């Protein structure tokens, strides 16, 4: 029997995202970006985000249904990001989701945004009408799902989180370590801001880094003696600020210096992630490694992670399109497809109102809080 259609919504930060999924298959994936609105602030401005979500959410929902060639009558459930994220932004998505779920008389599921990023590798494209294969790309095996004997390790690298998460089964998440201060994407954005790269700076740094020498500036490797799997990027940020001040005190930075600096800083951030990943893999065994979050779009990060995994004979699984790395609602739909089966087998029915959970930890899902 085909899986039911789920309409999913994510308004956790600065993208108004609405998607339709059928199980793992992404039928439509609409992302109305607010990046241009936030550029003048050099980051996401919550009240501006809230207003833009209000304006975009109904048209984005209509577009997601239209692109899926469906109507509301085809939708079996609505899923919405309940947290973590910016409280005013989350509120818009939750209120809208509650309204349409009540109108359409379907269940409403509250989803954790981080679980969405973590499971984004499981999303598969909609099969083309002519193709007989239903999911994975040619020559690509479907992901090996975690089992308690062979867990999966998720590496989550976004603008708000940088975490290593062990997954013994889908729905159970154990954080092994993570950044104790800025997230990796946040550090890239902050250093990019010092260099006037605009917001978000991660993709600009990636582009400039391709043309620079990654060993030109010898950034330190932080947290080597911490004895845990945690990361810290604030020292790298301070080192970057001091270096930029020294250089720009002497002269206006040359193009070569900007490219070399971008390559060196990017290398420092990724080296730190790979260093701790290596430590984890020396002590624990995993089936596969899954990469998710906005920074997962970075080709150099993927390359460095693959090099780190090679001696352990492990595969790095990445989302099938870069659109699934940044914030999107298809990943929320994929998580919901797991929860809907459970929900329906538990008796189903319509759902109680949802609260925003701006600081919702992924680990708390395992304990049901
Ligand atoms: O997952 P995401 O869209 O939002 C959060 O939930 O945080 O991640 C956004 C982050 C930003 O910090 C952005 O600079 C970074 O992802 N990012 C990148 C790239 N594309 C986006 N960082 C490095 N290289 C990229 N290509
Ligand atoms: Zn995100």
């Amino acid at each position: 029997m085909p899986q039911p259609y789920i309409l999913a919504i994510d308004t956790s930060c600065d993208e108004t995202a609405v998607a339709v999924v059928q199980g793992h298959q992404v039928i439509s994936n609409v992302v109305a970006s607010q990046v241009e609105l936030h550029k003048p602030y050099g980051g996401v401005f919550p009240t501006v985000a809230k207003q833009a979500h209000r304006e975009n959410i109904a048209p984005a929902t209509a577009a997601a249904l239209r692109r899926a060639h469906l109507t509301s009558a085809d939708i079996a459930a609505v899923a919405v990001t309940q947290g973590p994220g910016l409280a005013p932004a989350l509120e818009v998505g939750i209120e809208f989701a509650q309204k349409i779920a009540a109108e359409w008389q379907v269940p409403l599921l509250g989803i954790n945004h981080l679980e969405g990023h973590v499971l984004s590798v499981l999303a598969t494209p909609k099969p083309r009408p002519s193709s007989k294969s239903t999911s994975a790309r040619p020559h690509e095996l479907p992901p090996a799902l975690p089992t308690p004997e062979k867990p999966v390790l998720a590496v989550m690298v976004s603008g708000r989180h940088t975490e290593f998460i062990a997954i013994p089964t889908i729905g159970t998440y154990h954080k092994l370590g993570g950044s104790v201060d800025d997230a990796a994407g946040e550090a890239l954005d902050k250093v990019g801001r010092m260099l006037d790269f605009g917001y978000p700076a991660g993709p600009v740094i990636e582009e400039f880094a391709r043309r620079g020498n990654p060993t030109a500036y010898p950034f330190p490797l932080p947290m080597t003696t911490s004895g845990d799997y945690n990361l810290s990027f604030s020292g790298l940020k301070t080192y970057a600020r001091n270096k930029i001040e020294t250089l720009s005190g002497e002269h206006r930075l040359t193009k070569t210096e900007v490219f070399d600096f971008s390559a060196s800083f990017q290398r420092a951030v990724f080296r730190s992630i790979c260093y701790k990943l290596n430590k984890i893999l020396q002590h624990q065994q995993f089936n596969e490694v899954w990469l998710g979050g906005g920074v997962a779009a970075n080709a150099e990060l993927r390359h460095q992670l693959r090099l780190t995994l090679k001696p352990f004979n492990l595969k790095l699984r990445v989302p099938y399109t870069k659109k699934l790395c940044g914030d999107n609602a298809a990943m929320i739909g994929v998580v919901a497809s797991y929860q809907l089966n459970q929900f329906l087998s538990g008796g189903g029915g319509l759902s109680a109102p949802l609260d925003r959970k701006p600081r919702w930890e992924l680990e708390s899902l395992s304990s049901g809080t």
Side-chain angles (χ1 to χ4, degrees):
M1 212 177 73
Q3 296 255 21
Y5 289 112
I6 299 174
L7 183 120
I9 296 174
D10 183 283
T11 61
S12 59
C13 192
D14 59 343
E15 318 281 20
T16 313
V18 186
V20 176
V21 301
Q22 188 177 30
H24 293 178
Q25 273 179 21
V26 180
I27 310 298
S28 66
N29 189 11
V30 175
V31 179
S33 177
Q34 303 176 9
V35 158
E36 290 306 318
L37 287 178
H38 298 288
K39 268 200 170 131
Y41 305 99
V44 180
F45 201 82
T47 48
V48 172
K50 180 175 180 172
Q51 184 54 31
H53 284 314
R54 281 211 169 117
E55 287 163 18
N56 293 340
I57 192 145
T61 302
L65 285 173
R66 195 172 56 244
R67 287 183 203 175
H69 304 291
L70 298 172
T71 70
S72 57
D74 299 308
I75 301 296
V78 173
V80 65
T81 297
Q82 209 177 347
L86 297 173
L90 289 166
E91 185 185 304
V92 180
I94 293 172
E95 276 179 7
F96 185 81
Q98 283 181 164
K99 185 172 89 84
I100 59 172
E103 269 171 32
W104 301 351
Q105 292 286 296
V106 294
L108 173 67
L109 304 171
I111 305 296
N112 182 294
H113 180 81
L114 299 180
E115 189 173 18
H117 277 303
V118 164
L119 300 194
S120 60
V121 298
L122 300 178
T124 56
K126 184 170 71 166
R128 297 214 187 119
S130 58
S131 109
K132 290 219 173 80
S133 108
T134 50
S135 59
R137 281 169 291 171
H139 315 300
E140 169 100 2
L141 291 171
L145 290 179
T147 62
E149 304 75 48
K150 275 269 183 183
V152 154
L153 177 67
V155 181
M156 249 287 303
V157 197
S158 80
R160 287 172 279 163
H161 297 88
T162 304
E163 296 182 3
F164 300 108
I165 301 148
I167 313 177
T169 55
I170 287 175
T172 309
Y173 304 99
H174 302 304
K175 183 170 161 183
L176 303 180
S179 177
V180 295
D181 39 55
D182 289 349
E186 189 179 1
L188 291 167
D189 289 341
K190 285 181 177 167
V191 169
R193 198 164 153 186
M194 295 173 200
L195 292 162
D196 290 329
F197 288 172
Y199 172 82
V204 182
I205 293 187
E206 175 173 29
E207 188 54 39
F208 287 173
R210 278 203 193 102
R211 294 182 246 170
N213 170 6
T215 56
Y217 298 99
F219 278 85
L221 179 62
M223 305 284 276
T224 50
T225 55
S226 67
D228 55 26
Y229 303 134
N230 284 335
L231 301 153
S232 165
F233 298 111
S234 67
L236 294 179
K237 208 175 57 188
T238 308
Y239 184 95
R241 180 177 297 113
N242 292 341
K243 194 78 207 163
I244 292 169
E245 275 171 14
T246 312
L247 287 173
S248 50
E250 292 162 2
H251 57 270
R252 202 184 137 82
L253 261 62
T254 63
K255 263 192 183 168
T256 309
E257 280 171 337
V258 168
F259 294 158
D260 286 352
F261 199 86
S262 299
S264 302
F265 182 65
Q266 180 180 270
R267 173 178 183 268
V269 170
F270 295 167
R271 186 167 161 237
S272 188
I273 295 171
C274 291
Y275 175 83
K276 288 294 165 103
L277 174 62
N278 181 283
K279 270 215 139 56
I280 293 174
L281 297 177
Q282 280 176 12
H283 295 113
Q284 300 188 29
Q285 289 206 336
F286 294 95
N287 202 353
E288 278 189 358
V289 176
W290 293 355
L291 180 65
V295 189
N298 188 293
E300 181 60 19
L301 174 62
R302 291 176 178 199
H303 175 64
Q304 292 303 330
L305 289 172
R306 287 198 172 100
L307 289 180
T308 309
L309 297 187
K310 209 163 176 213
F312 300 95
N313 216 3
L314 277 169
K315 181 176 169 60
L316 181 72
R317 180 81 54 182
V318 299
Y320 77 82
T321 159
K322 286 192 177 171
K323 193 171 177 186
L324 288 167
C325 295
D327 287 346
N328 69 89
M331 65 184 193
I332 302 303
V334 169
V335 178
S337 70
Y338 283 96
Q339 298 191 3
L340 184 62
N341 289 338
Q342 248 175 5
F343 182 85
L344 295 176
S345 57
L350 296 181
S351 324
L354 297 178
D355 286 332
R356 302 174 295 187
K357 294 186 178 177
R359 298 185 183 282
W360 196 6
E361 297 262 347
L362 184 56
E363 247 193 333
S364 69
L365 289 175
S366 317
S367 55
T369 51

